[in-house]
Amino acid sequence: MSDGFQRILDDARLASIVLARTSTTDKNAALEAIAAAIDANSERIVTANSSDYARSEADGMEAGLLDRLRLTPERVAGLASAVRDLI
């Protein structure tokens, strides 16, 4: 296993310990902050995604995968909503 991958695993393990000790109120506040950041940056997310989409399309990615990759303003709003559903 590469050192970089091992570091990711170690970091995830440490994060899980911190999250296990975090209150529900704090977790919910963090989730709301994530959803709010998604909402606030929706335009930037869609713009950045369009570059990824164009590159993937040029590389010959299958239509079904391209559809999953494409982020529209509605899909980004859906992501923010899905995060809020966890609260």
Side-chain angles (χ1 to χ4, degrees), residues 36-57:
I38 292 169
D39 284 335
N41 292 286
S42 178
E43 188 175 317
R44 288 179 55 206
I45 293 167
V46 170
T47 299
N49 174 258
S50 67
S51 297
D52 293 338
Y53 183 91
R55 187 174 341 104
S56 297
E57 186 176 39

Side-chain angles (χ1 to χ4, degrees), residues 28 31-40 42 45 71-87:
N28 288 345
L31 288 168
E32 179 54 40
I34 290 167
I38 292 169
D39 284 335
S42 178
I45 293 167
L71 290 176
T72 63
E74 295 78 20
R75 285 185 175 180
V76 174
L79 293 171
S81 177
V83 172
R84 287 187 175 100
D85 286 346
L86 298 173
I87 298 173

